[in-house]
Amino acid sequence: MGSVEETLSNFSLDFRKLLFVNIYLTLKSINLQTVRHHELPDCYDFNVKFRSLDKVTECLFSLINGDDMYATFLNLRDKSYMVWLFSRLYLYSFISLFIYMVLSLFIALITDTYETIKAKGLSSQLECLVLTAWLLIQLHSQERTHDLPDRALIYNYELPDVTKQNNMMSTYSSYSLSSTHYIDTAFCTEDNVPQCISYVNQELDSLGLSCISLGAPGVTGLSSALNTLYELLQIHRRDMTAVEELEREQLKKSSTLEHVQINNSRLKDQLELSMREKSGMHETERQLQLKIKTLQSCLKTEKEEVQKLQHIIASRATQYNHDTKRKERETTKLKERLSQLLVDRKDRKLSIDVLNCLGRADGKRSLWKTTKATASHEGDMYKSLLSDYEATQRLLMLENAELKKVLQQMKKEMIHILSPRQTSDHGHELGDSDTEERADLGRECLDKSCEVAREQLTNSIRKQWRRVRSHMERLDSQASHSQDDVILKQTHDEEMEKMRQEVLQCKEFIHTQQQLLQQQLHTSLDEDTAVLLNGCYTLEEKERLKEEWKLFDEQKRNFVRERKNFTEAAIRLERDKRAFEEDRADCLKNQFLNITPFADRRKGSSSDGPRSLSIRSEPEIRMSTTSVNRPKSSTYCTNFSTPKPSSFSSVPSTAELYRTLRLIPDTSSRQSNRGSWQESSAIEHGDNQAKTKLRSRCGDISVFSVGDENSPT
Amino acid sequence: MNFSELFKQSNHLCKVSPDGKYLATCVQYRLVVRDMSTLQILQLYTCLDQISHMEWSSDSQFVLCAIYKRGLVQVWSLEQPEWHCKIDEGSIGLTSSRWSPDGRHILNTTEFNLRITVWSLCTKAVSYIKYPKACQKALDFSRDGCYMALAERRDCKDYVSVFVCDDWHLLRHFETETQDLAGLEWSPNGCVLAVWESCLEYKVLLYSLDGRLLSTYSAYEWSLGIKSVAWSPSSQFLAIGSYDEKVRILNHITWKKIAQFDHPSTITKTKAVVYKEEEKRPALSEDLSLHLNSSSSLFSSQSKYEILSLPVHLPVVKPDPERANPKIGVSNLVFSSDSRYLATKNDSIPCVLWVWDLQSMTSVAVLEQTSPVRCFQWDPRQNRLALCTANAKLYLWSPGGCVAVQVPAPGGFQVQALNWHNTGHSLVLVGKDQLCLCYMDEDQDQDQD
């Protein structure tokens, strides 16, 4: 049982090639079997699954495949502890080894070999070398059989040859690519190396290359062989490049050919298409023509039909007329017959049943029908007609008279209008007299009877109208001419005058300007101009001075303010000093009057306020000295607040203030200062003004306080 | 404007006597004559059967009642109520009956237009006129009552006979240049006779009293022609309305066309005022007592006219081309009494009435109603036009404006026809079987003018 490792060592694999895989599986069981054949030791009591070699293999195989594991483990359970342990170990190791390692190793080997085969491996260097040399020679000799230009021709005209070459190339490539044992069986093996060499040498001779001398062993022979091989390779490369070029050319040619062919086919297609289209067009044209023909025939038939119908209508109309006439005749006949019948019938006669006859509406008696009566009727009729005509004639006459009046008026007016012009115009006096004459004539005509006068009247009217028209036309044309002339002359003159005046003015203006310019140029240092220029300068200067003045004012104001602040600060200092002295006095008093605690307490409380105030005011004063604008209000605040404590202990502080006032410049001078400042500040903002007022008030207060001071003291 | 109560009538038979004193109405077989001023019944006559035609004699003394069904004519006298006259046409039948202008003769047209019998009330004499033509207007008396023109048809030719009405003496008899004469009409002065062709051809012939052809007028050929003809009261104009929706005005001197009035469905540019009737339902929140007073107006709508701005599209009724006598063309022409205005109606636009001014020969007003115009008549004294559209409203137009008046009659009274009194102060409004009198306010008249 301890020979499992041995079994593993016996297992050897040779994976040089996939084809030459030899697995030597020599297992202990075989030995056991053989042993068993001879003699079986008693200690070996085998399990059912491991009793014989085939059973063992079967069991193991099933174990490898993983389908018998549980059963085997179960089988091996009922042994002694050692056996159970060993079997366990064995099975575990076996299963793990074979399933995880050996099988995966197999797979790895298989893939590896496959890759090596794919990557082309030649077994021996020499064999490979000789082989290639032979191949090259073969190739070269083949190529030598036909020269390059010939080959071009061949390439052009004998495609089969090219294909042959290609075939050869492909064979070569297949030689070089595929496994070599075909070749080495075909040409060179280890046995026929000298023959091969000789053959190669012959071949090389024929090519004019140095032979391979394998007689000299070692490096020289190999080098000569390599040299020839190199030469051969050179030749081969050259040939290959040529071949490649040719191939490329061929490819190009073939591609162009293809292109051309495609083009051709396309053009053919197009041609076909256009032909088809053309035929289609022809077809449609033919159809259209046919249609036109049919339509024309239709039209013709329609026309004929229309004519026929018209004829029919006409014939029907005549027929209808005839029929209606016949019918009418019949009806009249019938009517006559009916009336006759009605007259003949006696059953219900027409009758009139009147109570008594009426008299005529006009009260006259009816007359007998006589010729006289008819004549009178005729007469009446004509009378009425006549009266009607007379009435119309009267109306017409009236209208005519009206029209005549209008006409005459028109004439008169026309004459009136035309005459002055015509008299003024030289050539128309004759016409004028003519019109007058005509007017007279017209008047006469109007008096005459119409028939005689009509022609004359119309003639005269026509003539006059023509004359008027021509006159108007002439007037128009004249007006258009003369008006232009006259107006132009007048306006032209006027305008010319105006223009001249303007021109003169302009000239004068220019002259003066020129003069001025010259003056300026020549007498640029003239007094007037200098003054003018100085004036300009002074203006600027004035401006600048004003600005400076302002600045100065500002500075002055600032100075004043500062001085004021100073004085105030001094006052305050004085006051503080006084307060301090008072405090000290108080302190002393306290110390002095230490006996009475009541008074002490009261005094201390009263003295606290002003002190704190004074402390607060000090830094503000400092600020006011540094910055001018801001602290004013705060200082005033202190100023206002100071009187409050002074009301408690007012008398000494005001007195002190008065004193300090005495120390610093006079109140009168201050007043004047303030006045000047107020003047200047009038330009400034309102709030500043308010401040100044406050300030002035403050001053007043102080003055008043002084006054108050003075009166009690 | 005041309205009388309603009176019964039948067959739209109600007429004011020519002197304007009486109003005769027919109710079934009874003839009622009322005093016009008081509306009191003066006389009541009973005929033999339902009256189909009634006519006053020219002197307002007699009333003719024709009973076509029986072929009978009964005449009643106003002055002598006991007087009576009955004319029996016998078995030959009766289709039309009328007074002669003198009021002493009755002209009866028999059935099939066999003849016209002239009965004299003076002498009981009867005379026949043969071959009267069966047409639109075959018989016309001149305005002065002297002459009668009659269209005849003999041997398939048209003739016109002019009779003297005094003694029925045939004054003239002449053949007309027509294929199928449709009507004739005397001019108001009685000197010119207008004769027109049937609608198949546009042709107007003008004859003098003595039978001379004065003029012929034809506007166009082939298509349907004349639909209506009217003389102006001054005899100056002859208006011809035709199927081409136009009115042509001929003058009396040259008998040539002097104007042409179109009746377009869209009015784009005109100086005429276009009135449109706008109906408004009265608001229900109104006081009920008002409605109780006039219960008829509870369900009826108020109308008022609005003036439209151009362009105006008028509602057109397409004529049926399959039917004969298509509803197109100017069917009705009425001149105002002073010949200044002409009112026309185009059948294809039945809701619209045109009013034309003959001084400027332009249209002065276009009245678009909500329903088709039934009847319109000019005031015999003023330029005032009354029209009705078969509803409970009366419409009046004058050059000053337009007004719609609700007739405050109960029971859905619809004005289907109207008739001016010859004084112009009142108006007879005829409904389906009732009638109502409308009295004009003189102040209002002044306003309207």
Side-chain angles (χ1 to χ4, degrees):
Chain A
M1 290 298 280
S3 61
V4 181
E5 276 79 28
E6 271 180 76
T7 351
L8 278 173
S9 68
N10 285 335
F11 182 87
S12 68
L13 289 167
D14 191 2
F15 292 119
R16 239 179 68 189
K17 285 169 208 166
L18 191 64
L19 292 167
F20 294 100
V21 171
N22 298 315
I23 303 167
Y24 301 102
L25 272 169
T26 42
L27 288 166
K28 174 73 181 173
S29 56
I30 302 165
N31 296 338
L32 281 173
Q33 204 177 24
T34 50
V35 168
R36 202 184 176 186
H37 271 285
H38 297 293
E39 45 190 348
L40 262 169
D42 294 337
C43 60
Y44 290 99
D45 181 23
F46 295 106
N47 195 305
V48 187
K49 287 206 170 181
F50 294 91
R51 199 150 286 174
S52 62
L53 181 68
D54 54 334
K55 276 196 178 159
V56 169
T57 49
E58 200 180 337
C59 173
L60 290 176
F61 183 70
S62 59
L63 275 172
I64 286 169
N65 285 321
D67 60 343
D68 205 21
M69 275 183 197
Y70 184 68
T72 316
F73 278 109
L74 214 71
N75 256 340
L76 293 170
R77 192 164 288 176
D78 52 345
K79 296 291 167 188
S80 63
Y81 177 73
M82 276 303 290
V83 173
W84 177 82
L85 186 74
F86 179 76
S87 65
R88 252 318 116 101
L89 275 171
Y90 174 75
L91 283 175
Y92 274 128
S93 56
F94 173 79
I95 288 162
S96 53
L97 189 78
F98 271 83
I99 289 177
Y100 303 137
M101 291 179 69
V102 178
L103 286 179
S104 45
L105 191 73
F106 269 118
I107 291 160
L109 281 170
I110 288 158
T111 50
D112 192 45
T113 4
Y114 171 71
E115 267 170 25
T116 47
I117 286 160
K118 218 171 97 180
K120 170 204 147 187
L122 277 175
S123 59
S124 76
Q125 223 176 16
L126 192 70
E127 276 175 29
C128 185
L129 208 78
V130 172
L131 219 127
T132 45
W134 178 74
L135 268 173
L136 283 169
I137 290 154
Q138 284 287 324
L139 276 172
H140 195 69
S141 62
Q142 269 187 354
E143 276 163 17
R144 273 297 168 88
T145 49
H146 28 255
D147 284 337
L148 276 171
D150 287 349
R151 260 203 291 153
L153 279 170
I154 287 156
Y155 165 74
N156 275 336
Y157 298 104
E158 292 171 32
L159 272 165
D161 220 44
V162 180
T163 50
K164 208 198 282 172
Q165 258 191 349
N166 283 344
N167 284 341
M168 201 177 70
M169 289 304 292
S170 64
T171 50
Y172 166 71
S173 60
S174 67
Y175 283 148
S176 57
L177 276 170
S178 61
S179 54
T180 48
H181 43 260
Y182 289 114
I183 299 155
D184 66 358
T185 49
F187 178 65
C188 184
T189 55
E190 281 171 20
D191 308 325
N192 62 353
V193 168
Q195 284 96 331
C196 279
I197 287 164
S198 64
Y199 177 73
V200 166
N201 280 344
Q202 274 177 14
E203 289 289 307
L204 287 171
D205 270 336
S206 69
L207 284 172
L209 293 169
S210 60
C211 300
I212 307 161
S213 57
L214 277 175
V219 188
T220 47
L222 191 65
S223 66
S224 69
L226 281 171
N227 280 335
T228 47
L229 191 64
Y230 175 72
E231 276 173 21
L232 278 170
L233 278 171
Q234 287 287 322
I235 291 159
H236 174 66
R237 202 167 292 155
R238 235 182 294 138
D239 290 349
M240 283 301 286
T241 49
V243 165
E244 251 173 52
E245 260 175 46
L246 284 168
E247 266 183 348
R248 220 175 293 144
E249 218 168 295
Q250 191 221 351
L251 269 173
K252 221 187 283 172
K253 286 273 165 68
S254 65
S255 69
T256 48
L257 183 73
E258 228 169 85
H259 182 70
V260 164
Q261 272 173 347
I262 286 163
N263 253 355
N264 202 6
S265 64
R266 207 172 50 206
L267 284 170
K268 268 182 187 168
D269 282 353
Q270 276 185 0
L271 186 72
E272 215 170 297
L273 203 83
S274 54
M275 286 294 277
R276 223 176 295 145
E277 267 178 26
K278 193 184 147 196
S279 64
M281 298 280 266
H282 273 300
E283 182 59 30
T284 47
E285 197 188 328
R286 200 178 55 78
Q287 278 175 356
L288 283 171
Q289 270 178 348
L290 267 174
K291 212 183 264 180
I292 286 165
K293 263 182 197 170
T294 51
L295 282 172
Q296 272 175 344
S297 64
C298 265
L299 186 73
K300 209 177 271 179
T301 51
E302 290 285 324
K303 269 181 185 170
E304 277 169 11
E305 214 162 304
V306 164
Q307 270 188 342
K308 216 189 282 174
L309 282 172
Q310 274 175 345
H311 279 301
I312 287 167
I313 287 165
S315 63
R316 283 179 82 107
T318 51
Q319 186 65 36
Y320 166 77
N321 279 340
H322 181 74
D323 279 2
T324 46
K325 272 179 187 170
R326 210 188 60 209
K327 289 252 168 72
E328 239 182 81
R329 250 172 246 139
E330 271 175 25
T331 48
T332 47
K333 256 183 213 168
L334 273 171
K335 276 178 185 174
E336 269 176 31
R337 192 70 177 278
L338 185 68
S339 61
Q340 216 159 28
L341 274 171
L342 283 166
V343 168
D344 289 346
R345 267 174 69 178
K346 303 288 180 187
D347 55 339
R348 196 185 158 197
K349 227 186 165 184
L350 15 147
S351 63
I352 180 159
D353 172 23
V354 190
L355 190 69
N356 58 331
C357 291
L358 297 168
R360 277 169 65 95
D362 49 3
K364 288 177 192 167
R365 289 184 62 139
S366 59
L367 298 164
W368 293 108
K369 278 193 185 177
T370 50
T371 48
K372 201 183 161 191
T374 55
S376 77
H377 283 313
E378 287 275 311
D380 284 347
M381 182 192 78
Y382 282 122
K383 253 184 214 167
S384 68
L385 268 180
L386 262 176
S387 66
D388 180 53
Y389 279 126
E390 270 172 11
T392 49
Q393 204 199 352
R394 225 174 294 132
L395 273 172
L396 282 172
M397 281 285 281
L398 274 171
E399 219 174 290
N400 213 358
E402 283 288 317
L403 285 171
K404 272 173 189 165
K405 262 186 205 167
V406 170
L407 187 73
Q408 223 162 347
Q409 203 180 342
M410 271 173 67
K411 257 185 188 173
K412 263 184 200 165
E413 277 176 14
M414 225 179 270
I415 288 158
H416 183 69
I417 291 159
L418 292 179
S419 52
R421 284 272 169 88
Q422 281 177 344
T423 45
S424 67
D425 265 17
H426 45 82
H428 294 281
E429 280 171 31
L430 253 172
D432 184 32
S433 61
D434 200 33
T435 48
E436 274 180 21
E437 189 189 297
R438 204 45 68 78
D440 291 337
L441 200 136
R443 222 166 290 146
E444 280 167 26
C445 285
L446 290 176
D447 297 335
K448 284 178 199 169
S449 68
C450 257
E451 279 178 37
V452 186
R454 197 169 59 193
E455 206 175 333
Q456 255 181 331
L457 195 87
T458 48
N459 271 336
S460 72
I461 285 166
R462 243 175 241 157
K463 271 185 189 171
Q464 277 180 348
W465 178 245
R466 228 171 283 148
R467 274 172 43 72
V468 164
R469 206 177 57 188
S470 62
H471 185 67
M472 282 304 286
E473 275 171 11
R474 204 180 53 233
L475 272 177
D476 270 350
S477 60
Q478 223 173 39
S480 60
H481 276 294
S482 63
Q483 272 182 352
D484 281 359
D485 281 349
V486 170
I487 288 165
L488 265 174
K489 262 178 193 171
Q490 286 179 353
T491 51
H492 182 73
D493 283 354
E494 282 175 6
E495 281 190 351
M496 278 294 281
E497 199 68 23
K498 270 188 200 167
M499 295 276 266
R500 267 174 207 154
Q501 279 179 353
E502 273 184 4
V503 165
L504 272 172
Q505 277 181 350
C506 284
K507 272 182 183 172
E508 279 177 0
F509 199 68
I510 290 161
H511 191 67
T512 48
Q513 274 195 339
Q514 272 182 341
Q515 275 185 341
L516 277 168
L517 271 170
Q518 278 178 347
Q519 274 183 355
Q520 276 193 347
L521 282 168
H522 286 296
T523 63
S524 58
L525 295 169
D526 214 346
E527 286 165 295
D528 298 357
T529 51
V531 165
L532 271 169
L533 283 168
N534 280 350
C536 315
Y537 285 135
T538 47
L539 263 175
E540 269 183 39
E541 274 183 339
K542 265 180 192 168
E543 289 271 325
R544 215 184 301 144
L545 281 169
K546 263 182 191 170
E547 278 176 8
E548 279 180 349
W549 188 262
K550 266 185 192 171
L551 270 171
F552 281 132
D553 264 352
E554 284 256 312
Q555 282 179 351
K556 195 171 151 189
R557 244 175 282 147
N558 286 344
F559 278 131
V560 167
R561 241 174 274 156
E562 271 178 48
R563 205 162 66 179
K564 253 192 164 181
N565 287 336
F566 241 99
T567 53
E568 277 164 8
I571 289 162
R572 239 171 278 131
L573 257 175
E574 207 67 30
R575 218 182 288 154
D576 285 358
K577 211 189 268 178
R578 264 196 58 85
F580 183 68
E581 276 177 358
E582 272 182 355
D583 276 15
R584 206 173 59 177
D586 283 348
C587 265
L588 283 171
K589 261 185 201 171
N590 284 344
Q591 278 177 348
F592 194 68
L593 301 168
N594 220 1
I595 316 138
T596 53
F598 168 75
D600 173 61
R601 200 180 297 159
R602 195 196 57 174
K603 292 253 169 167
S605 64
S606 65
S607 65
D608 273 342
R611 199 190 293 158
S612 64
L613 275 166
S614 67
I615 287 157
R616 208 210 307 168
S617 64
E618 268 182 337
E620 282 165 6
I621 293 156
R622 225 173 286 139
M623 275 174 75
S624 71
T625 49
T626 49
S627 64
V628 189
N629 292 323
R630 215 186 64 181
K632 273 177 197 166
S633 58
S634 56
T635 52
Y636 288 129
C637 205
T638 53
N639 269 346
F640 279 116
S641 58
T642 41
K644 270 181 193 168
S646 71
S647 65
F648 280 102
S649 57
S650 59
V651 184
S653 66
T654 44
E656 200 62 44
L657 191 138
Y658 179 59
R659 206 191 302 158
T660 45
L661 278 171
R662 275 262 178 106
L663 281 169
I664 35 174
D666 284 0
T667 49
S668 60
S669 70
R670 250 186 95 197
Q671 285 285 346
S672 68
N673 268 344
R674 200 194 294 152
S676 70
W677 178 65
Q678 271 177 341
E679 246 177 34
S680 59
S681 71
I683 314 152
E684 282 184 14
H685 303 292
D687 54 343
N688 272 358
Q689 273 186 326
K691 278 169 193 171
T692 56
K693 272 177 189 172
L694 276 171
R695 173 168 288 201
S696 62
R697 212 188 297 163
C698 168
D700 288 346
I701 287 162
S702 62
V703 167
F704 275 122
S705 64
V706 167
D708 288 338
E709 249 296 294
N710 283 338
S711 56
T713 50
Chain B
M1 201 178 276
N2 299 311
F3 291 89
S4 74
E5 55 180 312
L6 295 181
F7 302 109
K8 276 191 178 175
Q9 53 88 14
S10 55
N11 281 345
H12 292 193
L13 289 173
C14 56
K15 271 172 186 148
V16 181
S17 64
D19 60 0
K21 283 179 186 164
Y22 311 108
L23 173 72
T25 54
C26 294
V27 185
Q28 303 295 333
Y29 53 89
R30 266 196 292 266
L31 173 72
V32 184
V33 179
R34 290 168 200 273
D35 188 66
M36 193 66 195
S37 52
T38 60
L39 293 174
Q40 295 291 315
I41 295 174
L42 291 176
Q43 297 292 343
L44 201 130
Y45 306 99
T46 311
C47 294
L48 289 168
D49 208 334
Q50 186 163 7
I51 302 158
S52 29
H53 178 72
M54 182 264 286
E55 197 176 326
W56 281 95
S57 69
S58 58
D59 55 359
S60 308
Q61 292 292 311
F62 302 97
V63 185
L64 175 151
C65 294
I67 305 150
Y68 292 153
K69 204 159 60 179
R70 288 206 181 191
L72 276 175
V73 173
Q74 283 191 298
V75 186
W76 305 101
S77 167
L78 217 63
E79 290 192 336
Q80 299 169 280
E82 70 278 7
W83 186 88
H84 64 89
C85 169
K86 191 179 89 178
I87 299 165
D88 191 350
E89 276 294 334
S91 50
I92 200 161
L94 181 67
T95 53
S96 136
S97 178
R98 77 192 78 200
W99 284 103
S100 75
D102 62 353
R104 294 294 177 269
H105 294 85
I106 292 167
L107 285 85
N108 286 341
T109 311
T110 58
E111 229 168 325
F112 309 116
N113 283 290
L114 268 180
R115 65 192 177 197
I116 289 171
T117 37
V118 182
W119 300 90
S120 168
L121 298 182
C122 300
T123 60
K124 292 190 189 179
V126 59
S127 49
Y128 303 119
I129 303 168
K130 272 195 174 181
Y131 317 115
K133 190 173 161 77
C135 62
Q136 200 183 354
K137 194 175 182 185
L139 184 72
D140 192 39
F141 295 101
S142 64
R143 197 68 55 94
D144 59 358
C146 284
Y147 303 102
M148 181 185 86
L150 178 72
E152 291 177 7
R153 185 80 176 175
R154 294 181 192 182
D155 302 328
C156 306
K157 279 173 190 161
D158 290 319
Y159 293 90
V160 169
S161 298
V162 180
F163 292 93
V164 180
C165 291
D166 253 357
D167 51 1
W168 305 108
H169 169 74
L170 180 66
L171 187 69
R172 281 285 184 278
H173 179 74
F174 51 88
E175 192 185 334
T176 58
E177 296 172 16
T178 52
Q179 291 290 317
D180 182 15
L181 189 147
L184 43 77
E185 192 170 329
W186 286 108
S187 69
N189 61 10
C191 292
V192 182
L193 182 70
V195 172
W196 62 94
E197 183 79 78
S198 70
C199 65
L200 291 174
E201 210 177 325
Y202 195 113
K203 197 174 190 181
V204 177
L205 300 156
L206 293 148
Y207 289 95
S208 164
L209 180 61
D210 53 353
R212 283 178 296 119
L213 178 63
L214 293 173
S215 177
T216 310
Y217 177 74
S218 174
Y220 53 87
E221 284 178 80
W222 304 121
S223 65
L224 289 181
I226 295 162
K227 197 158 190 181
S228 56
V229 174
W231 280 98
S232 76
S234 63
S235 312
Q236 277 181 314
F237 307 111
L238 178 69
I240 307 161
S242 53
Y243 279 94
D244 64 344
E245 304 182 317
K246 277 171 186 149
V247 172
R248 291 173 175 83
I249 307 286
L250 305 188
N251 71 348
H252 75 302
I253 293 166
T254 60
W255 305 110
K256 295 264 169 60
K257 186 182 82 176
I258 52 167
Q260 177 175 309
F261 301 148
D262 293 345
H263 296 72
S265 60
T266 40
I267 300 167
T268 48
K269 61 171 191 181
T270 178
K271 284 179 181 172
V273 185
V274 183
Y275 296 98
K276 186 179 166 60
E277 185 196 353
E278 294 283 342
E279 279 194 334
K280 265 190 198 164
R281 298 260 161 210
L284 286 172
S285 59
E286 274 181 46
D287 196 7
L288 270 173
S289 60
L290 274 171
H291 294 306
L292 291 170
N293 287 340
S294 56
S295 58
S296 67
S297 64
L298 185 64
F299 303 108
S300 61
S301 55
Q302 301 271 315
S303 273
K304 65 168 189 163
Y305 280 106
E306 282 184 1
I307 294 171
L308 297 182
S309 56
L310 300 174
V312 178
H313 297 277
L314 302 170
V316 182
V317 175
K318 282 268 171 194
D320 188 0
E322 299 294 316
R323 291 240 188 117
N325 298 321
K327 287 245 173 222
I328 192 167
V330 181
S331 63
N332 216 339
L333 303 160
V334 185
F335 277 97
S336 71
S337 55
D338 64 350
S339 310
R340 171 140 190 212
Y341 295 104
L342 171 70
T344 61
K345 184 195 160 193
N346 184 2
D347 275 349
S348 64
I349 314 170
C351 296
V352 176
L353 189 78
W354 274 269
V355 182
W356 309 87
D357 187 357
L358 286 169
Q359 280 190 346
S360 58
M361 292 292 177
T362 53
S363 74
V364 283
V366 178
L367 277 74
E368 190 187 339
Q369 307 292 130
T370 49
S371 39
V373 177
R374 281 295 184 89
C375 179
F376 52 98
Q377 201 174 33
W378 287 94
D379 186 332
R381 294 293 164 95
Q382 317 173 359
N383 284 324
R384 187 161 61 173
L385 181 72
L387 60 142
C388 58
T389 62
N391 53 14
K393 275 166 224 141
L394 170 70
Y395 306 95
L396 290 167
W397 176 87
S398 68
C402 236
V403 69
V405 183
Q406 180 81 32
V407 179
F413 179 74
Q414 292 187 329
V415 187
Q416 292 187 331
L418 43 81
N419 231 324
W420 281 98
H421 189 257
N422 55 6
T423 56
H425 297 326
S426 57
L427 194 62
V428 181
L429 309 174
V430 184
K432 200 185 172 199
D433 45 11
Q434 283 164 317
L435 73 94
C436 170
L437 271 107
C438 165
Y439 298 96
M440 296 288 165
D441 268 338
E442 289 311 301
D443 296 341
Q444 204 179 341
D445 298 345
Q446 291 302 313
D447 287 347
Q448 279 188 342
D449 288 341

